[in-house]
Amino acid sequence: MLSACGTNNGTRETDASQPSPSDTPAASEKAQTKVVQTVNGEVEVPLKPQRIVAGEYLGSLIALGITPAGTSDHHIKNPYFLEYLQDVENIGDGNGNVEKILSLEPDLIIMDDFYPELNEQMSKIAPTVVIPYASLKTVHEEVAFFGELLGLEDQAKAWLADYDSRIASAKEKVLKAIPADSTFSILELGDKDIMAVGTGYGKGGQPIYNGFGFKPPAKVAAEMADPGWASFSAEVLPDYVGDYIILTSDSKTLDDLKADPVWGLLPAVKNNHVFLWTSDRSGYWDPIAILSQTEELAAWLTSL
C-alpha cells in the first residue's frame, strides 16, 4: 500500500538517538523513527508522532483516532469534522502558512503536492510526507495507507470494517426502496454550465455510484469516462439526466427548479426525485464525509 502511494513497504526502523541511562522509556520510544520513500525521496519519520500538522488527508487521521496539532482552514470548515476539531489550530488557507506551522512545533507534517515551495519549507521544520493529490483512489486505500505510515494498522482495519458494515447496511436499505436499475445524475449547477461528475470529485458520486452501485445515464457516462466529468448547457439537460438527481447548488431550491422552463419538465424534478445540497456540504470527499454522505443520502432515498 505504501509503495503504491509514494512510500515503500520496506521502511527502515532506526533509533534517532542513543538514549542515555537517564532517558525514560517514553522518551526512548519517541526517539524511534523509520525511513519511508516519498515522491520527494526518503524521509525519516517518528514511529509515534505526537504533534502532527495535516495540511491535507485529515479525514483519514480522524478515522485512526488522531487529533492533529493543526490543520488547514478548509478542513476547519468541513461540517463533517466539527466534533473532532475542538482543540485543533487553524494553520491558514491552502495548506497553511509557515509561521503558524512553525509555532506548533510539529514532529510530522502531512501534505499533498499542490504547494511544492511550501512543502520544501515544511521539510525544514519537521519530517514532511507528501502524498500527491488524488493518488489514493478509495477510502480503503487511503485509510490503510495512513494506518501503515503511522503504525496504526489495527486501528485502520477496525475503522474500515465498521465503514464496510455501515455502507452495506445503507445499501441494503436503499435497494429495498429504489430499483437497482435506476439511473442517477450527480450534477453541480454553475453560473453558466452544468457539470456532471463521477466518483472522483465529491458531490455525492462516491455514495451513489460506489456505495449503492447505481449508474449514470449512458450518454453522460460515456462523456465522463475521461476525465471523470462532463460540462454541458441547460438546453441539453434532458439528455444527461437520470431518474434521480443529486444536485449541488448554492442558490436554487426545488421550487426554483420546478418553475424553470427546462428543469421543470424533467421527470426527476416533477417526481421530487432531486436531492439538493450546497457546495459546503457536497464538496468534501474524505473518508469521514463519504460515510456521512452515504447515510444521509440513504435516509433521503428511503423516505421517498
Side-chain angles (χ1 to χ4, degrees):
M1 183 62 68
L2 286 175
S3 62
C5 308
T7 58
N8 65 17
N9 288 323
T11 55
R12 295 201 308 272
E13 294 190 9
T14 63
D15 210 337
S17 62
Q18 294 297 323
S20 66
S22 61
D23 284 340
T24 65
S28 177
E29 182 180 39
K30 286 180 65 176
Q32 291 181 339
T33 64
K34 65 180 178 182
V35 175
V36 296
Q37 182 66 39
T38 77
V39 293
N40 293 331
E42 289 188 342
V43 177
E44 187 174 352
V45 303
L47 288 180
K48 303 289 183 181
Q50 303 298 308
R51 294 185 59 79
I52 298 175
V53 164
E56 284 300 338
Y57 303 104
L58 179 58
S60 282
L61 301 190
I62 290 174
L64 296 173
I66 294 173
T67 301
T71 193
S72 305
D73 183 69
H74 59 279
H75 286 318
I76 296 290
K77 295 176 180 177
N78 185 331
Y80 306 102
F81 289 168
L82 291 180
E83 64 182 287
Y84 305 103
L85 300 182
Q86 288 89 345
D87 301 318
V88 178
E89 294 282 341
N90 189 335
I91 61 174
D93 295 334
N95 280 2
N97 68 77
V98 176
E99 291 78 13
K100 181 62 178 180
I101 294 172
L102 181 62
S103 73
L104 294 177
E105 301 181 345
D107 56 1
L108 179 64
I109 299 172
I110 295 171
M111 295 285 180
D112 62 21
D113 58 348
F114 269 10
Y115 303 94
E117 292 183 3
L118 174 66
N119 290 340
E120 186 174 348
Q121 293 174 298
M122 293 300 97
S123 65
K124 299 174 182 177
I125 296 174
T128 299
V129 175
V130 175
I131 303 101
Y133 175 78
S135 61
L136 300 164
K137 302 298 185 183
T138 67
V139 168
H140 273 260
E141 192 174 347
E142 184 173 324
V143 173
F145 169 84
F146 284 101
E148 186 172 350
L149 174 68
L150 301 171
L152 298 173
E153 291 92 344
D154 289 344
Q155 289 89 332
K157 290 176 182 177
W159 190 89
L160 287 170
D162 180 67
Y163 171 87
D164 288 342
S165 175
R166 290 170 64 177
I167 296 294
S169 176
K171 180 178 182 178
E172 182 180 10
K173 293 174 183 175
V174 166
L175 292 182
K176 287 180 179 178
I178 307 296
D181 61 353
S182 300
T183 55
F184 278 72
S185 298
I186 312 297
L187 306 177
E188 181 171 26
L189 192 59
D191 294 334
K192 296 181 180 180
D193 291 337
I194 301 163
M195 183 170 71
V197 300
T199 60
Y201 297 92
K203 318 301 180 187
Q206 289 89 344
I208 294 297
Y209 298 142
N210 288 344
F212 303 147
F214 293 117
K215 303 294 183 184
K219 185 169 183 177
V220 73
E223 292 199 23
M224 289 193 305
D226 184 14
W229 59 273
S231 182
F232 53 91
S233 64
E235 286 74 18
V236 297
L237 186 60
D239 294 333
Y240 291 84
V241 169
D243 303 314
Y244 298 82
I245 301 171
I246 311 299
L247 178 64
T248 294
S249 174
D250 291 330
S251 60
K252 299 294 185 180
T253 66
L254 184 56
D255 286 339
D256 293 332
L257 298 181
K258 288 184 175 181
D260 184 272
V262 177
W263 285 91
L265 296 177
L266 300 174
V269 175
K270 291 180 178 180
N271 296 328
N272 296 323
H273 289 172
V274 180
F275 184 88
L276 263 167
W277 49 1
T278 51
S279 58
D280 60 348
R281 290 176 55 234
S282 72
Y284 293 97
W285 49 296
D286 58 86
I288 303 298
I290 290 173
L291 178 57
S292 297
Q293 291 167 353
T294 299
E295 294 180 333
E296 182 178 5
L297 288 166
W300 171 67
L301 287 168
T302 55
S303 72
L304 295 176

